[in-house]
Amino acid sequence: ADGKALYTEKNCHTCHGADGNAPIMPLYPKLAGQNKEYLVAQMKDIKSGARANGMSMAMKAMVMNVSDEEFTAIAEYLANVK
Amino acid sequence: ADGKALYTEKNCHTCHGADGNAPIMPLYPKLAGQNKEYLVAQMKDIKSGARANGMSMAMKAMVMNVSDEEFTAIAEYLANVK
C-alpha cells in the first residue's frame, strides 16, 4: 500500500495538512516525523473507541474505513516525512 | 514558569527523551515542535482521565502533580524545540 497516496485518499490531509505538517487547527497534532508505532496505535485506538478524548471524535468517522494494513502504510509514510 | 526546567523537574524526559525528541519506546510520541494547544489538551485529558488509551496510563501518575499553568509552560517550551 502506498502510504502517501492513502494519506490523501483517506482525507487525512483535510485536517492534518500537507505531509502532516500543517494542521488546520492548533488543537490537531502535527504528524510528520512522529514515531510509526505511536501513530498506528492512535489510529487503532480511535477506531476502536479506546481513545475518544477531545477532537479525536472528529477523526473517528475518518478512520472507520481504513484497515490495519492501511494504518501501517500511512504511519510509515508520515514517520519518514521531514 | 520555566517550561524547559519543568520538563526535567516533572520527569517528562524520562520517557520522552531530551527536548521531547527521543522517546525511549516507539509507542511513545515525539513532542518537539508539536502544537502547543494540542499538547496542553492531551496533558489535561490524561490528568482528568478523558484520555486513557494505550501507554497514556503510564503518564497519568506523572501529570497528577503538574498544574494547568505548568502544562502551558511545558507545552510552550516543547512547541518551540526544533
Side-chain angles (χ1 to χ4, degrees):
Chain A
D2 179 344
K4 184 176 170 65
L6 284 167
Y7 182 79
T8 300
E9 278 170 31
K10 300 298 184 178
N11 289 306
C12 312
H13 69 294
T14 308
C15 289
H16 293 285
D19 294 325
N21 262 323
I24 58 167
M25 299 206 312
L27 268 175
Y28 292 156
K30 297 177 187 173
L31 306 173
Q34 187 55 271
N35 282 334
K36 173 184 166 183
E37 289 81 354
Y38 177 76
L39 291 172
V40 169
Q42 300 317 302
M43 290 187 278
K44 287 184 178 177
D45 283 355
I46 289 169
K47 187 175 182 179
S48 76
R51 178 175 176 184
N53 68 307
M55 298 307 293
S56 65
M57 296 305 285
M59 188 163 141
K60 183 156 184 170
M62 313 304 286
V63 291
M64 289 314 287
N65 71 337
V66 185
S67 70
D68 282 2
E69 185 191 354
E70 290 168 332
F71 286 156
T72 300
I74 293 168
E76 181 140 330
Y77 157 63
L78 288 169
N80 289 293
V81 173
K82 301 301 176 200
Chain B
D2 179 343
K4 184 176 170 64
L6 284 166
Y7 182 78
T8 300
E9 279 170 30
K10 300 298 184 178
N11 290 306
C12 312
H13 68 296
T14 308
C15 290
H16 294 283
D19 295 325
N21 261 323
I24 59 168
M25 297 206 313
L27 268 174
Y28 291 155
K30 296 177 187 174
L31 306 173
Q34 188 53 274
N35 282 334
K36 174 184 168 183
E37 290 81 355
Y38 176 77
L39 291 171
V40 169
Q42 300 318 302
M43 290 188 278
K44 287 184 177 177
D45 283 355
I46 290 169
K47 187 175 182 178
S48 75
R51 179 175 174 183
N53 69 308
M55 298 306 293
S56 67
M57 295 305 284
M59 187 162 144
K60 183 155 186 172
M62 313 303 287
V63 291
M64 289 314 286
N65 71 337
V66 185
S67 70
D68 283 1
E69 186 191 352
E70 291 168 332
F71 285 156
T72 300
I74 293 167
E76 181 139 332
Y77 157 63
L78 287 169
N80 289 292
V81 173
K82 300 302 176 201

